[in-house]
């Protein structure tokens, strides 16, 4: 356990977390509005607008009802008893959460679409978990943070701009379509980035690092796009 169980947190602690989250929200709202997914008035794709006003099927994608598995061929099994999530880098409250700590955070449900760069899209995935923004607030990220790196238990890494990570549909999820997330899909916990290609969401997430300068993750170093915006077919860099 990190020093105290979360339910004994004082009201002051909670207020500080909420305050930090509200400050972040204000600070990033204007910048979020200038990121492509909100500012793009000619997104590429087809179908009725999705929840974000983008064409439902991004250009070059096809819909699948199946849920394919993509990873580096190593699927780590991490028991909940030993599982931890580390929040580190440029933040005022670096910390390591145990499973009970994580589950005591505000839990949300959201339905979103999943777009893989290998051209399949799966619509209407029902997720449960914790918003990335909640974790950023908990860690009290430094004002100067521009990017984040996420790490998987399999050694995977992927980077993304903080403004993308703070979008309200970016979640760390433990439940998919009503069932605990299977190991092959990244259980016990993975990240999802519905408005970016799915490789930006680390399965078996182990750590989040707040960065003052951008750094490339596994696929980004190997020629994938750094920005990964589906409605511009922004697949490769
Ligand atoms: N830890 C980890 N996360 C990962 C990957 C990986 O290899 N390792 N692959 C990424 C890629 S390329 C995609 S498309 C999605 C696939 O998620 P899925 O296997 O649940 O469909 O996970 C992403 N997250
Ligand atoms: Mo992918």
């Amino acid at each position: 356990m990190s020093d105290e169980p979360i339910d004994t947190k004082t009201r002051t602690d909670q207020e500080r977390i909420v305050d930090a989250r509200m400050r972040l929200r204000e600070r990033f709202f204007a910048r979020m509005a200038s990121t492509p997914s909100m500012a793009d008035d000619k997104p590429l794709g087809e179908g009725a607008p999705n929840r974000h006003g983008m064409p439902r099927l991004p250009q070059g994608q096809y819909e699948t009802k199946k849920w394919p598995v993509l990873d580096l061929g190593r699927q780590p099994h991490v028991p909940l008893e030993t599982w931890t999530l580390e929040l580190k880098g440029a933040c005022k409250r670096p910390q390591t959460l145990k499973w009970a700590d994580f589950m005591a955070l505000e839990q949300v449900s959201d339905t979103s679409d999943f777009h893989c760069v290998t051209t399949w899209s799966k619509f209407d995935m029902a997720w449960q978990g914790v918003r990335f923004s909640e974790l950023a607030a908990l860690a009290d990220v430094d004002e100067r943070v521009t990017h984040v790196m996420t790490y998987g238990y399999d050694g995977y890494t992927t980077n993304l701009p903080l403004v993308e990570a703070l979008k309200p549909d970016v979640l760390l999820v433990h439940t998919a379509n009503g069932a605990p997330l299977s190991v092959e899909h990244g259980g016990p916990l993975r990240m999802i980035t519905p408005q970016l290609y799915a490789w930006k969401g680390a399965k078996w997430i182990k750590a989040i690092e707040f960065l003052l300068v951008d750094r490339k993750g596994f696929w980004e170093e190997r020629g994938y796009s750094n920005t990964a915006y589906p409605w511009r077919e922004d697949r490769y860099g």
Side-chain angles (χ1 to χ4, degrees):
M1 258 334 198
S2 50
D3 322 344
E4 67 225 288
I6 217 127
D7 57 6
T8 67
K9 270 181 178 298
T10 63
R11 173 131 176 79
T12 319
D13 276 345
Q14 287 183 20
E15 280 171 356
R16 190 166 34 68
I17 289 166
V18 170
D19 277 359
R21 196 161 68 159
M22 291 302 111
R23 282 202 308 276
L24 264 176
R25 183 175 175 279
E26 276 167 36
R27 205 167 103 230
F28 283 101
F29 206 78
R31 281 164 57 183
M32 279 168 58
S34 68
T35 62
S37 48
M38 289 179 83
D40 192 345
D41 59 359
K42 290 197 178 65
L44 305 176
E46 58 191 50
N50 71 8
R51 303 160 189 88
H52 310 290
M54 298 296 123
R56 194 159 198 226
L57 190 68
Q59 176 171 293
Q61 297 291 109
Y62 70 91
E63 183 189 354
T64 177
K65 299 284 183 194
K66 287 179 283 183
W67 188 4
V69 172
L70 281 96
D71 49 49
L72 304 176
R74 197 168 80 80
Q75 300 185 341
H77 288 244
V78 190
L80 296 185
E81 298 74 50
T82 55
W83 179 94
T84 58
L85 175 66
E86 191 184 1
L87 307 178
K88 62 183 184 178
C91 59
K92 296 189 190 76
R93 297 185 19 117
Q95 56 193 285
T96 300
L97 303 176
K98 301 211 174 215
W99 188 255
D101 303 326
F102 182 82
M103 293 305 287
L105 299 173
E106 185 189 345
Q107 303 288 316
V108 298
S109 299
D110 194 43
T111 299
S112 59
D113 304 333
F114 196 91
H115 306 294
C116 175
V117 70
T118 63
T119 74
W120 55 270
S121 291
K122 188 166 163 59
F123 295 144
D124 300 322
M125 308 273 283
W127 306 106
Q128 285 170 260
V130 171
R131 286 202 179 94
F132 179 94
S133 62
E134 181 81 7
L135 294 160
L138 189 65
D140 205 347
V141 303
D142 190 287
E143 302 272 318
R144 297 164 299 165
V145 169
T146 59
H147 290 78
V148 300
M149 185 72 81
T150 59
Y151 298 79
Y153 276 95
D154 59 341
Y156 186 77
T157 55
T158 185
N159 59 309
L160 65 172
L162 183 61
V163 290
E164 292 292 341
L166 290 174
K167 287 181 175 175
D169 55 2
V170 175
L171 309 180
L172 282 79
V173 296
H174 48 71
T175 302
N177 297 331
L181 192 62
S182 65
V183 168
E184 60 178 4
H185 286 301
L189 193 77
R190 76 171 301 162
M191 192 153 141
I192 55 156
T193 58
Q195 299 183 58
L196 300 176
Y197 286 120
W199 89 76
K200 292 289 185 181
K203 307 206 285 191
W204 313 291
I205 192 164
K206 176 188 176 186
I208 296 168
E209 183 181 15
F210 300 101
L211 304 175
L212 300 181
V213 292
D214 195 11
R215 231 165 61 208
K216 289 184 173 179
F218 182 87
W219 287 119
E220 293 82 5
E221 272 184 340
R222 288 164 175 78
Y224 276 40
S225 162
N226 203 32
T227 39
Y229 177 55
W231 292 274
R232 286 276 149 207
E233 278 223 76
D234 177 23
R235 299 174 193 271
Y236 304 105

